[in-house]
C-alpha cells in the first residue's frame, strides 16, 4: 500500500491524495504494479536531498513506540515545535504530512519496532519538501490522533488493539457555561477553569480504556436537568461533575468531593468513587486543604441514576487557590488526578 501512497503524493500532492488509497487490503493487486515503480518513487523522494541528509542521525529520532497499554498501540512524535495536524485516514491506515526532516533526518522504517502489534507497517520518508509518516494498521481499528494537552508540540497517534477499546464509559460534566459563569473573582471564571480541566481529561481516560462523553465541550449553558437526563439516557459507568468552590470570605481553600445517597442508594459505589477521586487529588496536591467526602443534594448528583460525584477543586475566592488555578500545569495535574481516581474506581468495581 505504501508505495502507491507515496506515488500518489508525489504525483498529485498530499492535499489531493484519495482517501481510498488507504482503504485497500494489503493484498490489493495494484500493489504489485506499484512496487515496480519503487525506484522512481525513491528518486522523487530524494530529489534535492544532500547525501549527508540521507544518513540517519541516531540522535535525531523524535518518535517513540509505546505498546504497554492493554487498549492502544501508541506512536508518539516529539516535534521541535507545534505544527498543525495534517492527516489522511483510511480503513487500513493513515499518512501524515510534516515539514521535511521533522521526525528523522532522511528516511527510516520502524517495521521491526511495531512487529507483533496491530500496526503492520510504520515508515517515515521525505518527498519533495515534506516528510511523511505512513502507518498501516489492521482493518477498521479505531484511531485517535491528538496533541499532548500540556506540550502541544508532541503528537500522539493511538491505534486500538481491539475493535472496542472502551470497556468503560463516563460522563464528564464541566459546571456552568455560557451566561452562567459560576464563581468569578478578578476576571477568573469557574466555567472556563472547569471546562479546561475536563477537556484535558479526554485522552487520559481513553488511554485507560474509558470513553469520555461530555455534557458540554464549549462555552455554552446547559440546564441542570439536561445534564442529568443525558446521563440517565446514556447509562455511563460514572458521572463526574467538575466545579470550583467559592466563599463569602477569602480564607477557605482546598478540595472536596460531594456525593448524595438518598436512603442508601448506591452508597457503596458513590462513596468509593468519591474516595478514589478525592484521594487521587490530595495525593497530587498534598499542600491543599483536604475537605474530604461531603454530602449534599446537588441537582446533577441527586437526579442521576449511576454512580455520580461532584468535585470542588479549590476556591476561586481564595487568593492562593486562585493563583494556582490559572496555571496550565496545575489544571493538567488536576485532570490527571481525577482521571486516575476514575480509573481506580472502575477497575476496582469491575473485576468480574
Amino acid at each position: 500500500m505504501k508505495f502507491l501512497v507515496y506515488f500518489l503524493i508525489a504525483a498529485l500532492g498530499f492535499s489531493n491524495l484519495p482517501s481510498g488509497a488507504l482503504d485497500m487490503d494489503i493484498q490489493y493487486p495494484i500493489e504489485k504494479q506499484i512496487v515496480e515503480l519503487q525506484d522512481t518513487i525513491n528518486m522523487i523522494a530524494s530529489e534535492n536531498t544532500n547525501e549527508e541528509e540521507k544518513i540517519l542521525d541516531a540522535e535525531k529520532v523524535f518518535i517513540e513506540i509505546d505498546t504497554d497499554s492493554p487498549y492502544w498501540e501508541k506512536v508518539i512524535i516529539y516535534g521541535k515545535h507545534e505544527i498543525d495536524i495534517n492527516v489522511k485516514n483510511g480503513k487500513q491506515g493513515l499518512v501524515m504530512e510534516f515539514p521535511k526532516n521533522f521526525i528523522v533526518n532522511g528516511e527510516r522504517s520502524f517495521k521491526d519496532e511495531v512487529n507483533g502489534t496491530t500496526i503492520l507497517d510504520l515508515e517515515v520518508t521525505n518527498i519533495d519538501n515534506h516528510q511523511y509518516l505512513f502507518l498501516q494498521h489492521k482493518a477498521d481499528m479505531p484511531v485517535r490522533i491528538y496533541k499532548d494537552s500540556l506540550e502541544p508540540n508532541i503528537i500522539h497517534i493511538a491505534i486500538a488493539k481491539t475493535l472496542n477499546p472502551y470497556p468503560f464509559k463516563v460522563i464528564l460534566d464541566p459546571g456552568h457555561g455560557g451566561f452562567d459563569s459560576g464563581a468569578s473573582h478578578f476576571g477568573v471564571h469557574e466555567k472556563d477553569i472547569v471546562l479546561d480541566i475536563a477537556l484535558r481529561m479526554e485522552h487520559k481516560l481513553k488511554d485507560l480504556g474509558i470513553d469520555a462523553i461530555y455534557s458540554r465541550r464549549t462555552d455554552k449553558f446547559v440546564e441542570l436537568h439536561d445534564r442529568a437526563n443525558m446521563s440517565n439516557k446514556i447509562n455511563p459507568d460514572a458521572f463526574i461533575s467538575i466545579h470550583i468552590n467559592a466563599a463569602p470570605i477569602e480564607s477557605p481553600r482546598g478540595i472536596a468531593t460531594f456525593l448524595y445517597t438518598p436512603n442508601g442508594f448506591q452508597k457503596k459505589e458513590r462513596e468509593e468513587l468519591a474516595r478514589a477521586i478525592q484521594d487521587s487529588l490530595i495525593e497530587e496536591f498534598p499542600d491543599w486543604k483536604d475537605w474530604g467526602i461531603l454530602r449534599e443534594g446537588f441537582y446533577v448528583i441527586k437526579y442521576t441514576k449511576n454512580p455520580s460525584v461532584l468535585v470542588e477543586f479549590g476556591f476561586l475566592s481564595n487568593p492562593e487557590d486562585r493563583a494556582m488555578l490559572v496555571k496550565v500545569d496545575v489544571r493538567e495535574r488536576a485532570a490527571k488526578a481525577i482521571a486516575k481516581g476514575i480509573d481506580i474506581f472502575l477497575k476496582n468495581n469491575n473485576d468480574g
Side-chain angles (χ1 to χ4, degrees):
M1 183 201 300
K2 64 186 174 186
F3 303 125
L4 173 61
V5 170
Y6 295 162
F7 177 75
L8 291 174
I9 290 173
L12 303 176
F14 182 75
S15 61
N16 295 317
L17 178 67
S19 59
L22 295 160
D23 289 341
M24 66 185 66
D25 186 84
I26 58 174
Q27 301 299 324
Y28 196 76
I30 197 171
E31 295 258 51
K32 297 178 181 179
Q33 302 174 39
I34 298 301
V35 168
E36 298 174 3
L37 297 172
Q38 184 174 2
D39 291 339
T40 302
I41 295 167
N42 288 339
M43 182 176 65
I44 296 172
S46 61
E47 185 179 357
N48 297 322
T49 300
N50 296 326
E51 288 300 320
E52 60 267 23
E53 289 183 323
K54 296 179 182 179
I55 302 173
L56 176 66
D57 180 352
E59 295 182 353
K60 193 183 179 186
V61 179
F62 299 100
I63 193 168
E64 177 185 346
I65 316 297
D66 182 359
T67 61
D68 291 340
S69 166
Y71 307 105
W72 301 90
E73 318 280 10
K74 297 281 289 290
V75 177
I76 306 171
I77 299 166
Y78 296 89
K80 296 180 284 294
H81 52 82
E82 183 181 3
I83 62 170
D84 292 334
I85 292 177
N86 199 1
V87 62
K88 297 282 187 177
N89 279 301
K91 294 181 180 179
Q92 303 276 346
L94 61 90
V95 60
M96 297 182 68
E97 184 180 69
F98 299 91
K100 191 173 184 178
N101 294 328
F102 187 79
I103 302 174
V104 299
N105 277 339
E107 305 171 358
R108 177 163 175 180
S109 171
F110 295 88
K111 196 164 187 176
D112 289 342
E113 287 89 337
V114 298
N115 184 42
T117 73
T118 55
I119 301 174
L120 304 178
D121 196 1
L122 180 64
E123 184 174 282
V124 175
T125 191
N126 285 327
I127 300 177
D128 294 333
N129 294 319
H130 292 92
Q131 188 162 76
Y132 295 91
L133 180 144
F134 170 84
L135 187 154
Q136 183 175 351
H137 55 72
K138 293 182 180 179
D140 298 317
M141 287 296 178
V143 175
R144 294 183 291 123
I145 303 173
Y146 61 96
K147 295 181 181 180
D148 191 88
S149 57
L150 186 60
E151 300 180 72
N153 59 301
I154 300 175
I155 297 174
H156 299 255
I157 307 171
I159 312 297
K161 293 185 175 182
T162 65
L163 291 174
N164 179 21
Y166 303 122
F168 309 104
K169 63 176 179 285
V170 299
I171 290 181
L172 300 180
D173 175 45
H176 309 285
F179 65 83
D180 178 9
S181 296
S184 293
H185 289 265
F186 296 93
V188 182
H189 306 302
E190 177 183 1
K191 67 173 185 176
D192 300 325
I193 300 292
V194 297
L195 179 60
D196 183 75
I197 292 172
L199 292 175
R200 291 174 182 276
M201 291 173 60
E202 178 175 10
H203 292 290
K204 293 173 177 57
L205 289 169
K206 289 185 174 182
D207 284 346
L208 296 167
I210 306 168
D211 197 10
I213 304 163
Y214 286 80
S215 62
R216 68 177 181 101
R217 283 182 169 272
T218 60
D219 182 18
K220 70 174 184 179
F221 177 73
V222 181
E223 294 282 0
L224 294 177
H225 64 264
D226 288 332
R227 299 171 192 249
N229 289 343
M230 175 187 180
S231 180
N232 293 335
K233 181 178 180 180
I234 293 174
N235 191 32
D237 295 286
F239 174 98
I240 297 89
S241 192
I242 304 172
H243 289 255
I244 308 296
N245 219 329
I249 56 176
E250 289 188 347
S251 56
R253 62 178 309 220
I255 304 168
T257 303
F258 289 83
L259 55 81
Y260 183 69
T261 56
N263 300 317
F265 176 70
Q266 291 183 346
K267 183 175 185 294
K268 176 178 179 294
E269 294 87 349
R270 296 190 180 206
E271 286 181 349
E272 290 183 1
L273 175 60
R275 176 53 61 193
I277 292 175
Q278 181 72 12
D279 286 353
S280 183
L281 281 167
I282 295 302
E283 181 182 12
E284 182 66 31
F285 299 95
D287 296 333
W288 292 43
K289 178 177 173 60
D290 181 3
W291 289 85
I293 307 304
L294 304 177
R295 285 167 167 77
E296 189 66 55
F298 293 122
Y299 191 99
V300 291
I301 57 175
K302 182 177 182 179
Y303 292 103
T304 45
K305 299 177 181 178
N306 300 86
S308 58
V309 296
L310 187 148
V311 178
E312 293 276 12
F313 178 62
F315 280 72
L316 268 185
S317 49
N318 179 272
E320 294 176 78
D321 280 6
R322 186 169 61 251
M324 295 290 285
L325 290 166
V326 298
K327 294 181 179 179
V328 171
D329 66 310
V330 169
R331 299 196 299 270
E332 176 75 10
R333 289 165 56 200
K336 182 178 179 181
I338 297 172
K340 177 182 176 182
I342 294 169
D343 183 55
I344 290 172
F345 166 76
L346 292 176
K347 303 299 168 58
N348 287 346
N349 283 271
N350 288 273
D351 293 334

